[in-house]
Amino acid sequence: METLLYLAKLALALVLGMGSAHLLGKERFTHVSAYAQMFLVWLLLFFMGVNTGGIDGITSQFGTIGITALLITLFGVAGTILVALFFSFILTPSLRSEHIAIAKRKEQSFIRRLYDIIKEPLLLVSIVILGLVLRLGTNAFSWFDSSLVTYLLYVLLFFVGMGMVHRKISFKGVFADRSLFFLPLYTILGTYVGALGVFVFTPYTLAEVVGMLSGFGWYSLSGILITDLGYPVLGSISFLSNLLRESFSFFLIPLFGRLGRRYYYPAVCTAGATSMDVTLVLLSSHFGTRTMVGSIYHGVIMSLVAPLLIPLFF
């Protein structure tokens, strides 16, 4: 029920933004909407770091729990990317001939082109680290409440809704491209393929690993739900793992975006449940506004299945 309420609030924020754009005029405040979206993404990333730094005993958990969470994330993301690429290149061969979209510079320097690819992801990850360091090293954010992130998400989606009207995005024909229907399946399958690798290198059972990965980036849900099921340590690992997955997606989405539209599948699948909110702006800006409907659909389905799948493994 809480999941449905959360989805309803997100949908309401989008609808209100779209309605405001219609009332104010489709051609007005386009730049304001675009700049607001990017600013809110940066703000969300910063507070995501602040929120992480506020976890009780987080510094003492950076050892065992942190390494395990990182290992789970790496395998889960790797499996997701491999499965998504398989379906992208094998089942949609027409995309293989698409020109890679990395912008070339006159000097043709490898270092310069590498910088072009990683400069934005590095900026985004640096913002998260800045928030984490400031929370751990100062008392400046003793007032911080994690609910602030949720409210910022609603504001972000409001401006996303405005942007959809400005860019003339329509939900009509959402299933016109049948491949979009299977995007959540690629994410689930890829994540669980990655779980097989974690099972080999950790003392946890396969069911426990799959359960911890089943948040698909929705870290607040997975951590709380698994803890409530009677596994507080696994809940902490799942929380950090899904938080890392969301953080990695901020690095990987721009990277895939620079490689071309054919890499949309691994980009959106890596984002997991966040493709409908936190990473939506990044996905649409790097793969075009036409992919926004698919990203929202993918995120909604992942958010619906996560609370259904997690309890099955504990």
Side-chain angles (χ1 to χ4, degrees), residues 37-51 127-128 144 146 148-157 219 246 250 277-279 281:
Q37 289 179 50
M38 187 53 63
F39 173 74
L40 285 167
V41 168
W42 291 349
L43 199 60
L44 278 165
L45 286 173
F46 177 78
F47 282 123
M48 193 167 71
V50 171
N51 188 43
I127 293 173
V128 177
F144 177 78
S146 58
L148 176 62
V149 175
T150 302
Y151 293 121
L152 286 174
L153 278 177
Y154 296 150
V155 177
L156 173 62
L157 286 182
Y219 56 88
E246 182 179 292
F250 281 98
D277 43 48
V278 182
T279 59
V281 175

Side-chain angles (χ1 to χ4, degrees), residues 229-260:
L229 290 170
Y231 302 88
V233 174
L234 298 186
S236 298
I237 295 174
S238 182
F239 173 86
L240 291 175
S241 175
N242 284 282
L243 178 62
L244 284 171
R245 177 171 184 151
E246 182 179 292
S247 301
F248 282 8
S249 67
F250 281 98
F251 182 92
L252 292 170
I253 289 172
L255 177 61
F256 286 129
R258 298 288 288 174
L259 294 176

Side-chain angles (χ1 to χ4, degrees), residues 249-311:
S249 67
F250 281 98
F251 182 92
L252 292 170
I253 289 172
L255 177 61
F256 286 129
R258 298 288 288 174
L259 294 176
R261 188 173 63 88
R262 60 184 176 180
Y263 289 89
Y264 171 68
Y265 280 21
V268 71
C269 290
T270 299
T274 70
S275 68
M276 70 172 179
D277 43 48
V278 182
T279 59
L280 180 59
V281 175
L282 280 178
L283 287 165
S284 62
S285 63
H286 286 280
F287 293 94
T289 54
R290 289 181 299 174
T291 64
M292 187 174 287
V293 172
S295 299
I296 294 175
Y297 159 76
H298 172 266
V300 168
I301 297 301
M302 298 314 303
S303 297
L304 287 173
V305 301
L308 299 177
L309 291 174
I310 291 174

Side-chain angles (χ1 to χ4, degrees), residues 72 75-76 79 189-202 204-207 209-210 213:
I72 289 175
F75 274 97
L189 179 60
T191 301
Y192 290 172
V193 167
L196 296 175
V198 181
F199 171 65
V200 174
F201 293 100
T202 68
Y204 301 106
T205 66
L206 180 59
V209 172
V210 171
L213 281 169

